mmCIF file with all atom_site columns, all heavy atoms in Angstrom:
data_model
loop_
_atom_site.group_PDB
_atom_site.id
_atom_site.type_symbol
_atom_site.label_atom_id
_atom_site.label_alt_id
_atom_site.label_comp_id
_atom_site.label_asym_id
_atom_site.label_entity_id
_atom_site.label_seq_id
_atom_site.pdbx_PDB_ins_code
_atom_site.Cartn_x
_atom_site.Cartn_y
_atom_site.Cartn_z
_atom_site.occupancy
_atom_site.B_iso_or_equiv
_atom_site.pdbx_formal_charge
_atom_site.auth_seq_id
_atom_site.auth_comp_id
_atom_site.auth_asym_id
_atom_site.auth_atom_id
_atom_site.pdbx_PDB_model_num
ATOM 1  N N   . ILE A 1 5   ? -50.153 50.485 -59.946 1.00 97.00 ? 6   ILE A N   1
ATOM 2  C CA  . ILE A 1 5   ? -51.200 50.641 -58.947 1.00 97.00 ? 6   ILE A CA  1
ATOM 3  C C   . ILE A 1 5   ? -52.252 49.557 -59.164 1.00 97.00 ? 6   ILE A C   1
ATOM 4  O O   . ILE A 1 5   ? -52.871 49.533 -60.221 1.00 97.00 ? 6   ILE A O   1
ATOM 5  C CB  . ILE A 1 5   ? -51.862 52.035 -59.041 1.00 97.00 ? 6   ILE A CB  1
ATOM 6  C CG1 . ILE A 1 5   ? -50.801 53.162 -58.879 1.00 97.00 ? 6   ILE A CG1 1
ATOM 7  C CG2 . ILE A 1 5   ? -52.921 52.200 -57.968 1.00 97.00 ? 6   ILE A CG2 1
ATOM 8  C CD1 . ILE A 1 5   ? -51.307 54.541 -59.238 1.00 97.00 ? 6   ILE A CD1 1
ATOM 9  N N   . GLY A 1 38  ? -32.774 39.363 -54.701 1.00 98.00 ? 39  GLY A N   1
ATOM 10 C CA  . GLY A 1 38  ? -32.760 39.948 -53.342 1.00 98.00 ? 39  GLY A CA  1
ATOM 11 C C   . GLY A 1 38  ? -34.148 39.878 -52.784 1.00 98.00 ? 39  GLY A C   1
ATOM 12 O O   . GLY A 1 38  ? -35.109 40.181 -53.466 1.00 98.00 ? 39  GLY A O   1
ATOM 13 N N   . LYS A 1 67  ? -30.218 32.003 -56.796 1.00 98.00 ? 68  LYS A N   1
ATOM 14 C CA  . LYS A 1 67  ? -29.543 32.327 -55.545 1.00 98.00 ? 68  LYS A CA  1
ATOM 15 C C   . LYS A 1 67  ? -30.250 33.540 -54.931 1.00 98.00 ? 68  LYS A C   1
ATOM 16 O O   . LYS A 1 67  ? -30.647 34.458 -55.657 1.00 98.00 ? 68  LYS A O   1
ATOM 17 C CB  . LYS A 1 67  ? -28.062 32.686 -55.787 1.00 98.00 ? 68  LYS A CB  1
ATOM 18 C CG  . LYS A 1 67  ? -27.225 31.529 -56.271 1.00 98.00 ? 68  LYS A CG  1
ATOM 19 C CD  . LYS A 1 67  ? -25.768 31.942 -56.439 1.00 98.00 ? 68  LYS A CD  1
ATOM 20 C CE  . LYS A 1 67  ? -24.909 30.690 -56.874 1.00 98.00 ? 68  LYS A CE  1
ATOM 21 N NZ  . LYS A 1 67  ? -23.494 31.058 -57.019 1.00 98.00 ? 68  LYS A NZ  1
ATOM 22 N N   . PHE A 1 134 ? -33.763 42.985 -57.113 1.00 98.00 ? 135 PHE A N   1
ATOM 23 C CA  . PHE A 1 134 ? -33.878 43.122 -55.657 1.00 98.00 ? 135 PHE A CA  1
ATOM 24 C C   . PHE A 1 134 ? -35.279 43.560 -55.328 1.00 98.00 ? 135 PHE A C   1
ATOM 25 O O   . PHE A 1 134 ? -35.754 44.605 -55.784 1.00 98.00 ? 135 PHE A O   1
ATOM 26 C CB  . PHE A 1 134 ? -32.887 44.162 -55.120 1.00 98.00 ? 135 PHE A CB  1
ATOM 27 C CG  . PHE A 1 134 ? -32.199 43.765 -53.845 1.00 98.00 ? 135 PHE A CG  1
ATOM 28 C CD1 . PHE A 1 134 ? -30.840 43.839 -53.670 1.00 98.00 ? 135 PHE A CD1 1
ATOM 29 C CD2 . PHE A 1 134 ? -32.986 43.313 -52.767 1.00 98.00 ? 135 PHE A CD2 1
ATOM 30 C CE1 . PHE A 1 134 ? -30.233 43.439 -52.489 1.00 98.00 ? 135 PHE A CE1 1
ATOM 31 C CE2 . PHE A 1 134 ? -32.372 42.900 -51.576 1.00 98.00 ? 135 PHE A CE2 1
ATOM 32 C CZ  . PHE A 1 134 ? -31.007 42.967 -51.460 1.00 98.00 ? 135 PHE A CZ  1
ATOM 33 N N   . ILE A 1 203 ? -45.322 48.394 -51.788 1.00 98.00 ? 204 ILE A N   1
ATOM 34 C CA  . ILE A 1 203 ? -45.852 49.370 -50.830 1.00 98.00 ? 204 ILE A CA  1
ATOM 35 C C   . ILE A 1 203 ? -47.386 49.240 -50.788 1.00 98.00 ? 204 ILE A C   1
ATOM 36 O O   . ILE A 1 203 ? -48.049 49.534 -51.783 1.00 98.00 ? 204 ILE A O   1
ATOM 37 C CB  . ILE A 1 203 ? -45.492 50.793 -51.207 1.00 98.00 ? 204 ILE A CB  1
ATOM 38 C CG1 . ILE A 1 203 ? -43.953 50.922 -51.415 1.00 98.00 ? 204 ILE A CG1 1
ATOM 39 C CG2 . ILE A 1 203 ? -45.966 51.791 -50.184 1.00 98.00 ? 204 ILE A CG2 1
ATOM 40 C CD1 . ILE A 1 203 ? -43.497 52.302 -51.912 1.00 98.00 ? 204 ILE A CD1 1
ATOM 41 N N   . ALA A 1 215 ? -41.473 59.019 -51.659 1.00 97.00 ? 216 ALA A N   1
ATOM 42 C CA  . ALA A 1 215 ? -40.610 58.244 -52.512 1.00 97.00 ? 216 ALA A CA  1
ATOM 43 C C   . ALA A 1 215 ? -40.617 58.686 -53.949 1.00 97.00 ? 216 ALA A C   1
ATOM 44 O O   . ALA A 1 215 ? -39.574 58.610 -54.622 1.00 97.00 ? 216 ALA A O   1
ATOM 45 C CB  . ALA A 1 215 ? -41.034 56.772 -52.452 1.00 97.00 ? 216 ALA A CB  1
#
Side-chain angles (χ1 to χ4, degrees):
I6 304 169
K68 293 183 179 181
F135 220 130
I204 306 176

